[in-house]
Amino acid sequence: MATTTGLVQQLKWNPALGAVFAWIGPTPQDTRLRYVLFRRDESSPHRSIRRNLVFGLTMAQWFRLPVVVTHGDGDAEISTLTIPPAARLYVVDRPIHLDFFSVTADGIPGDAVLVFTSAGGATTQVVPDLIRPQLAFVAKLPTTVPLGPGTLRGTSASGWSTLPVAIDVLAGPPRVKRVIQPGPSKPNPFTFVIAGDPALWTPSTNTYAADPVMANRSGYHDSVLYGLRNILTLPEDCFRANDRDVHIRFVSIFDSSLSASDQNSLAYTSEPNIIGPRRSQMAAFARRYGETADLLFAVTGDPIYTRASANLTVDDDARPGVTFTYDGASHVHRRFTTAPGCAAVPWTAGAADPTWLHELGHAVSSTASGSIFDLYVDGGPGGFQENKKFRAAAPDPIPTSFAALDGTIYASDPTRDALGYPPEWRSYHAQLLDATRPNLMDNFWYSTPYTAVRFDGLTHRFVIDRLSAKFFR
Amino acid sequence: MDPLHPAFRDLLKQAHPDLTDAIIDRYEELTARQFLLDPEADAERFAALDRERQRILREYMPRYRELWQEFEERRRSR
């Protein structure tokens, strides 16, 4: 027996022959002709089988589902028909023109396309801006997608196809809160909130002003896409290794109705060009929209204050955690937080740098369980620093071993990639995962391209373990 | 905190004849330490680091903000 697979591109009933002809293949131009033959003298059960074959072919054609038909080796008459289980697509939230739009499914391929079909039959294909195996994300749903009721399905040139789902496309307005990826269905998924900052605080004058990002929703959408690409597509994979990003709930909040006041201010400015997150406001802000944030990044829009910075997570020491040892001393990655790790990032951050990922390196860490600090300066914040150690004096040799994490020894970086340790420095770092580039927490501007930088091996493991403690609570 | 772009470091030194890499490095270290702090929960330490940082800016890099604005505009226009 032989098989033919593909989409049912065309069906034709030939009454004179008593046959239904089926053209099966990946495209209308690339098909194989097969047929179902109704014989005058065959029994009722056999005729029923033929009818079922035709019904199945018809349904497969209608829903654009791939089929597998069997037939004789030198023969085109169809003996059996199989329609493999099709992927199911889940729309996260209602499609609205120019708003974020995302769908979840299993095994979304990198060449996936979203096909919108209106009630009148008009189709529009939308290529997602970001694809993960579980998520297809569009930063701004094009206005070419037909309004009103219709269907949506996923498809790809590589053969992936989903059942269609009913949708109703709106012209607007974009939502204030948009769930980008719902995360696991449990009461407390690890939640990463991205918010447009409603108001900037100037500490020196204790005044509040509307953040310019509130007048630039389109730029905010671009920033969110840039940030998600930073987190989910760059060579540094600690947020997505083994598809672990399926455990993250991503939410966007953009509320331009808020006044410029203390409780609505997520970021502050500091001379001459620095933007800082107001960690004290983050948790309460997210709760107002029904979210408990583990991480919160505030996107700001001032054109001068564009140097991003982050604050560490404050873990909830009263709740459970996962114990680990660092150089033999016991520490705990707590599963929950009292204040989210956070950052203020400018919407002008370009797609060509790893700023979000760098700030995330700070934000996911905590003072109690080991802070992750900048490696482009010699000093540190004091306390337990996970990624930096100090020699007693600058001329002292760098130790071969940097640290032991859960009993595994990680070597030191003897040369600080190509940058070198300045002769007056006492600090030193752990061995890099990519020795040809600076550490992500070092001066990544010295890498080509900027976005190719990675953590050192110790910090990579440390962050994965820390996130696991929170993802799997 | 975002690291200092090497091209901007060069711009600073060109515009400020007395400015050295060591002074910039000291400024960067203060900045990195200051902005890992919560300005409200750690107000005293934040303010102490800020005073020292602002002093270095005034004394050695008074044109920092103007140069940064030009630098950012050039980057955005590319």
Side-chain angles (χ1 to χ4, degrees), chain A residues 385-436:
Chain A
Q385 294 170 67
E386 175 274 333
N387 65 335
K388 181 183 286 191
K389 286 190 170 179
F390 300 88
R391 294 161 282 172
D396 291 350
I398 292 172
T400 306
S401 298
F402 182 84
L405 180 64
D406 288 331
T408 299
I409 294 175
Y410 289 81
S412 300
D413 178 357
T415 59
R416 191 181 165 225
D417 53 274
L419 299 179
Y421 295 103
E424 68 276 12
W425 277 25
R426 293 192 304 120
S427 63
Y428 62 100
H429 318 145
Q431 186 73 271
L432 292 160
L433 282 173
D434 181 350
T436 67

Side-chain angles (χ1 to χ4, degrees), chain A residues 207-410:
Chain A
T207 54
Y208 300 89
D211 194 308
V213 76
M214 288 288 112
N216 188 355
R217 174 121 195 185
S218 178
Y220 169 74
H221 280 241
D222 294 338
S223 287
V224 171
L225 173 60
Y226 152 67
L228 290 176
R229 282 179 171 161
N230 246 223
I231 299 164
L232 300 177
T233 70
L234 296 190
E236 179 44 67
D237 67 352
C238 62
F239 270 80
R240 70 173 192 282
N242 300 318
D243 296 337
R244 63 211 334 264
D245 53 309
V246 72
H247 298 285
I248 304 173
R249 176 177 173 83
F250 285 107
V251 177
S252 161
I253 299 170
F254 188 94
D255 192 347
S256 56
S257 73
L258 298 178
S259 61
S261 62
D262 180 33
Q263 67 168 357
N264 298 329
S265 170
L266 300 177
Y268 67 96
T269 59
S270 183
E271 295 301 329
N273 62 342
I274 300 162
I275 195 79
R278 296 189 69 201
R279 189 174 62 190
S280 59
Q281 306 292 66
M282 299 286 188
F285 181 86
R287 272 198 301 273
R288 282 153 56 184
Y289 299 91
E291 299 295 332
T292 303
D294 291 276
L295 292 169
L296 198 155
F297 271 38
V299 179
T300 67
D302 192 287
I304 303 288
Y305 299 97
T306 54
R307 193 170 179 193
S309 65
N311 273 184
L312 311 186
T313 297
V314 179
D315 279 340
D316 188 346
D317 290 334
R319 299 182 78 175
V322 175
T323 302
F324 68 98
T325 61
Y326 187 102
D327 288 341
S330 187
H331 301 273
V332 182
H333 289 309
R334 296 292 173 184
R335 296 193 185 278
F336 295 90
T337 72
T338 56
C342 53
V345 288
W347 75 265
T348 55
D353 60 69
T355 294
W356 280 54
L357 208 46
H358 175 95
E359 302 308 330
L360 261 178
H362 296 305
V364 300
S365 70
S366 76
T367 304
S369 65
S371 63
I372 295 175
F373 194 60
D374 294 308
L375 297 180
Y376 55 82
V377 295
D378 189 30
F384 173 26
Q385 294 170 67
E386 175 274 333
N387 65 335
K388 181 183 286 191
K389 286 190 170 179
F390 300 88
R391 294 161 282 172
D396 291 350
I398 292 172
T400 306
S401 298
F402 182 84
L405 180 64
D406 288 331
T408 299
I409 294 175
Y410 289 81

Side-chain angles (χ1 to χ4, degrees), chain A residues 36 81-83 131 149 154-155 166 179 199 222 260 281 300 363 367 391 399 411:
Chain A
V36 177
L81 164 72
T82 303
I83 302 177
I131 295 175
T155 185
V179 176
D222 294 338
Q281 306 292 66
T300 67
T367 304
R391 294 161 282 172

Side-chain angles (χ1 to χ4, degrees), chain A residues 146-164:
Chain A
L147 291 172
T151 62
L152 169 67
R153 63 183 179 86
T155 185
S156 78
S158 55
W160 177 77
S161 183
T162 75
L163 292 168

Side-chain angles (χ1 to χ4, degrees), chain B residues 10-22:
Chain B
D10 291 341
L11 265 181
L12 284 173
K13 290 193 292 186
Q14 284 163 22
H16 303 95
D18 293 333
L19 184 61
T20 64
D21 280 322

